[in-house]
Amino acid sequence: MTAQSHIQVNRLSVHYGVGGSLFGGGGVLKAVDDISLEIPRGSFFGLVGESGSGKTTLGRAILKAAPISEGEVRYVDEEVDYDVGRLGKKELKDYRKRTQLIFQDPYAALSPRMTVRDIIAEPLEVMKLTKTRAETDERVREIAAKCRLNLEHLRRFPHAFSGGQRQRISIARALVCQPKFLVADESVAALDVSIQADILNLLKSLQKDMDITFLFISHDLSVVAHTCDYVAVMYLGAIVEMAPSRRLFTAPKHPYTKALLSAIPSLDPDDRGRAQKLEGEIPSPLNKPSGCRFHTRCPIATARCAAETPEWKAHAPGHFAACHFAE
Amino acid sequence: MTAPLLSVRDLTVRFRTDEGLITTVDNVSFDIASGEVLGLVGESGSGKSVTAKSLMKLNPGNTVYGPDSRITLNLEDGPVDVLSLKSAKDLNVVRGGAISMIFQEPMASFAPAITIGDQMVEQLLLHSSLNKKQARELSIEMLDRVGISDAGKRIDQYAFEFSGGMRQRAMIAMALSTKPKLLIADEPTTALDVTIQAQVIDLMKDLVDEFGMAILFITHDLGVIAQTADRVAVMYLGRVMETGSVREVIRTPAHPYTQGLLNALPKLEKLDEPLTPVPGDIPSPLERPEGCVFHTRCPKMIPGTCDSLWPDAVAVSGSHTAACVAVEPDMEAAS
């Protein structure tokens, strides 16, 4: 299979109006600011960044769950070619079958009043993908087995399950309509370490099995390093660096990526205090710094960084960074 | 030998609920010396927060402490038996006096409608002999010390006007202003971004050096423990599975649970190795396994032994102990 792109994002911006009154005024919050990227078919694409970097908004805009203010999102598979921002009602319904979202908190994402079977069957029923109840049950059992759920548990209610089991139920529900593209937004962040590895392995094996493309959103760089093929690093609504996963973690170019990597607490007790610490906190997206948006916290910033926006430069095949001083 | 600052012996905590008595902490013992940082690691349901709250008797009204449970705090005026304290006035010696606590979610720990300054001053008036003016001066000094710029102005702001990292700094400033002997930090960096987490960890290390208090550092993150603690206790379902110096426990874990936890952790240095999850799920507190609480998930489980007997803690070397029958005791250390 060639590395054909599945999702193309071209100069996408998502703007929200904030403050102000009925008569205007107030500012515009650019949650996603002029982002372009391509997600290859069958890849596990990671999106990392701190809170407020816009990674969730980008994921939602691709699913048309956040407004596309400028630019375009294109979805291509062997059957359809959609301009996601301009979908008609019927096409949008079809798009919803092809794409799905897995949420962060498995405790909040499942209705306590529905049995596991009904939770997993709901997308099929809402989208009228099956004709009979027997057919629905068949599909539910099939996907539940794939997600390693005990079939006897289908009759129970979610409160009886642990975090890891609930997350497997959420995954089964997202996969039951056989989507081609899945956004996993911090899907392991709420899980314990001993369970997290299990869910990550499950997602990887489902991806191979069902030929799904993943957009994996996470704040945890070590998790992303272990699961994703490509990684994009976001800061204040823009992508500052993008590379094949191994390259990004072994040869990062952007000072922000370097700082993020060195901020991960080392497991070596004798390796204390070596981290290259970032000063300050992420600025408000309402009031973005001029020039390079990272210059207020960057350890190597110069006057040029405050004045000029850095170019998006290629450093190696598939490895891009936006920094004046990236070698 | 001088008595440690805090000594916990056979702490058992049960909660009375509609489903019966639920055991959350089961025969836990540990010591903390002055100036020492003890890391308490565990996953959800391990009882680490309940253990910490017991030190100040902050658990809810349906709590039943075990009859043999002892928590002794050795202060300058003599030992205090914490669990025997009854009235709020007596407990004030411990709560906010000798022990301060910082929590995971700093937004929930500050009252939203009272300024940061008024909250800091209020607790100083309760726990010290300072007057209002002195208390305010000390509060500004502490805010400045934890790196909040323009502290003189910031002190009159409300919690919502602070960012996440600043709130956690203010929380630390408030907890330390009464000069506690022991600081309990319950997942203090979990809600923060990595870059802010690194700043807060650095700050806490500096403050330990400066104030010399002991810290009970609770977290699920072994990396954070490796960076902060002197000694570690690993908890699972209310039991202490392994204790030792941070080097011993992280480099040469003896208990299968600690080994499993470390193997399940994605590591940047080992990108080629597959992730190895600990099999199975954490059992619900209503279905605590018999015998060793970990036997349902343990790769080294011995049928007939592990599912019926709770293993005693054996010395692996020096102060490094593990509660597991599969662990070879070090004869030299045991003798």
Side-chain angles (χ1 to χ4, degrees):
Chain A
M1 195 173 69
T2 53
Q4 185 188 1
S5 75
H6 194 181
I7 301 281
Q8 286 173 29
V9 176
N10 296 320
R11 310 209 60 176
L12 171 73
S13 295
V14 177
H15 299 172
Y16 292 110
V18 287
S21 64
L22 209 56
F23 307 103
V28 173
L29 189 152
K30 294 180 178 167
V32 168
D33 194 4
D34 200 8
I35 280 184
S36 300
L37 65 87
E38 280 185 21
I39 302 178
R41 204 71 205 264
S43 66
F44 220 104
F45 194 99
L47 200 55
V48 294
E50 295 178 279
S51 42
S53 61
K55 49 193 195 306
T56 295
T57 309
L58 175 58
R60 293 191 172 213
I62 292 174
L63 296 178
K64 206 175 185 319
I68 298 173
S69 311
E70 281 165 28
E72 64 163 8
V73 175
R74 282 195 50 204
Y75 170 95
V76 184
D77 66 20
E78 51 292 78
E79 291 157 12
V80 297
D81 181 349
Y82 285 145
D83 177 351
V84 175
R86 294 181 189 77
L87 288 177
K89 213 173 166 187
K90 220 175 126 203
E91 291 167 320
L92 183 61
K93 251 186 162 168
D94 181 57
Y95 187 57
R96 295 274 180 250
K97 278 178 223 164
R98 292 170 194 272
T99 57
Q100 282 290 330
L101 177 65
I102 306 173
F103 294 93
Q104 167 170 1
D105 186 351
Y107 289 86
L110 306 178
S111 164
R113 292 167 195 276
M114 290 166 77
T115 62
V116 172
R117 182 255 168 216
D118 288 347
I119 287 171
I120 300 177
E122 198 178 22
L124 294 173
E125 282 157 2
V126 170
M127 294 194 248
K128 301 194 176 66
L129 294 175
T130 48
K131 295 198 178 64
T132 61
R133 195 178 159 93
E135 195 186 342
T136 310
D137 281 341
E138 177 61 35
R139 291 272 293 266
V140 168
R141 275 201 298 273
E142 194 184 317
I143 196 71
K146 269 193 180 138
C147 295
R148 299 206 300 273
L149 286 165
N150 189 334
L151 296 186
E152 279 169 22
H153 290 171
L154 290 175
R155 266 175 294 159
R156 296 202 200 162
F157 290 89
H159 72 88
F161 297 96
S162 68
Q165 286 169 320
R166 281 173 198 236
Q167 199 57 295
R168 288 205 288 269
I169 297 170
S170 300
I171 293 169
R173 177 176 58 177
L175 292 179
V176 74
C177 52
Q178 294 174 332
K180 304 242 188 293
F181 175 70
L182 211 67
V183 175
D185 191 352
E186 297 278 11
S187 298
V188 296
L191 302 177
D192 282 306
V193 184
S194 71
I195 307 296
Q196 178 179 296
D198 179 51
I199 298 292
L200 290 173
N201 288 345
L202 175 68
L203 288 177
K204 285 295 260 190
S205 74
L206 289 169
Q207 181 213 15
K208 288 204 191 81
D209 246 35
M210 302 176 69
D211 189 24
I212 306 169
T213 307
F214 266 93
L215 177 65
F216 187 86
I217 300 175
S218 177
H219 69 284
D220 188 330
L221 282 98
S222 2
V223 166
V224 168
H226 268 268
T227 43
C228 298
D229 312 316
Y230 297 89
V231 183
V233 181
M234 282 188 79
Y235 185 76
L236 269 187
I239 293 178
V240 295
E241 183 164 7
M242 180 153 62
S245 178
R246 182 158 306 255
R247 246 200 96 77
L248 189 97
F249 289 103
T250 51
K253 294 288 173 201
H254 199 283
Y256 179 59
T257 314
K258 289 180 189 170
L260 274 186
L261 283 171
S262 81
I264 302 174
S266 161
L267 260 182
D268 183 354
D270 289 323
D271 190 13
R272 291 186 178 179
R274 130 217 93 115
Q276 163 209 351
K277 299 275 156 50
L278 276 189
E279 296 291 319
E281 300 185 20
I282 191 164
S284 155
L286 276 175
N287 193 6
K288 277 184 198 147
S290 61
C292 170
R293 60 193 73 214
F294 183 55
H295 84 262
T296 51
R297 297 173 76 195
C298 183
I300 58 166
T302 64
R304 184 178 166 205
C305 301
E308 261 178 71
T309 307
E311 240 181 281
W312 184 237
K313 272 184 299 205
H315 293 270
H319 189 173
F320 300 88
C323 175
H324 293 305
F325 300 103
E327 289 296 310
Chain B
M1 208 179 102
T2 53
L5 172 67
L6 177 84
S7 150
V8 175
R9 286 290 166 271
D10 304 324
L11 178 67
T12 298
V13 184
R14 296 193 177 88
F15 291 124
R16 227 181 280 118
T17 69
D18 293 343
E19 278 105 26
L21 273 183
I22 294 180
T23 308
T24 53
V25 176
D26 191 1
N27 265 298
V28 165
S29 301
F30 60 87
D31 290 338
I32 305 180
S34 294
E36 181 182 56
V37 182
L38 175 71
L40 202 55
V41 199
E43 301 182 286
S44 39
S46 63
K48 52 194 195 304
S49 290
V50 174
T51 304
K53 284 184 184 156
S54 307
L55 305 184
M56 290 197 274
K57 275 190 96 175
L58 278 179
N59 286 315
N62 60 347
T63 310
V64 184
Y65 293 99
D68 303 325
S69 303
R70 289 281 171 280
I71 297 175
T72 316
L73 196 59
N74 291 301
L75 301 175
E76 277 147 30
D77 317 333
V80 179
D81 180 2
V82 176
L83 291 179
S84 72
L85 299 177
K86 289 274 178 328
S87 71
K89 194 166 154 273
D90 291 341
L91 276 163
N92 268 349
V93 177
V94 179
R95 291 181 185 162
I99 306 181
S100 283
M101 185 157 180
I102 52 180
F103 300 89
Q104 172 172 355
E105 193 23 85
M107 190 64 210
S109 325
F110 280 110
I114 306 173
T115 63
I116 299 278
D118 284 348
Q119 295 182 56
M120 292 184 73
V121 168
E122 183 190 11
Q123 52 128 20
L124 279 171
L125 293 179
L126 266 173
H127 293 293
S128 72
S129 53
L130 300 178
N131 64 32
K132 222 169 173 178
K133 189 160 168 280
Q134 291 165 321
R136 190 180 156 86
E137 272 162 20
L138 177 65
S139 301
I140 294 176
E141 196 188 311
M142 285 305 299
L143 285 177
D144 193 50
R145 179 66 201 75
V146 297
I148 289 178
S149 55
D150 215 355
K153 224 166 97 193
R154 285 283 189 177
I155 192 168
D156 292 320
Q157 289 188 325
Y158 295 90
F160 72 86
E161 295 174 274
F162 280 37
S163 69
M166 271 165 61
R167 261 180 238 137
Q168 201 56 291
R169 283 162 192 275
M171 192 74 222
I172 294 172
M174 178 159 152
L176 294 189
S177 62
T178 52
K179 303 230 161 32
K181 297 276 179 276
L182 173 69
L183 176 69
I184 302 173
D186 190 356
E187 303 265 10
T189 61
T190 307
L192 306 175
D193 282 312
V194 269
T195 59
I196 310 298
Q197 167 173 289
Q199 294 170 7
V200 171
I201 288 178
D202 270 7
L203 171 68
M204 293 190 64
K205 282 193 223 166
D206 289 349
L207 293 171
V208 177
D209 290 345
E210 194 180 320
F211 290 78
M213 75 266 180
I215 298 188
L216 179 66
F217 201 111
I218 301 171
T219 179
H220 67 284
D221 189 329
L222 286 158
V224 171
I225 283 292
Q227 291 297 306
T228 50
D230 303 316
R231 278 194 314 122
V232 187
V234 181
M235 285 185 77
Y236 181 78
L237 282 184
R239 283 278 192 170
V240 172
M241 310 303 268
E242 181 163 5
T243 56
S245 77
V246 69
R247 280 181 191 78
E248 290 165 337
V249 173
I250 288 184
R251 292 222 181 110
T252 51
H255 198 284
Y257 174 62
T258 320
Q259 292 166 353
L261 265 190
L262 281 160
N263 283 336
L265 215 56
K267 292 173 208 74
L268 280 178
E269 309 82 56
K270 296 178 184 162
L271 286 183
D272 293 318
E273 290 180 18
L275 296 176
T276 340
V278 180
D281 279 300
I282 302 172
S284 117
L286 287 169
E287 297 158 11
R288 268 174 75 83
E290 290 286 310
C292 171
V293 283
F294 186 57
H295 84 260
T296 53
R297 302 174 74 193
C298 183
K300 296 181 182 161
M301 202 278 248
I302 306 166
T305 307
C306 296
D307 47 12
S308 59
L309 272 176
W310 171 254
D312 286 329
V314 292
V316 186
S317 71
S319 64
H320 186 184
T321 64
C324 177
V325 287
V327 167
E328 294 283 325
D330 180 350
M331 287 310 160
E332 219 172 296
S335 63

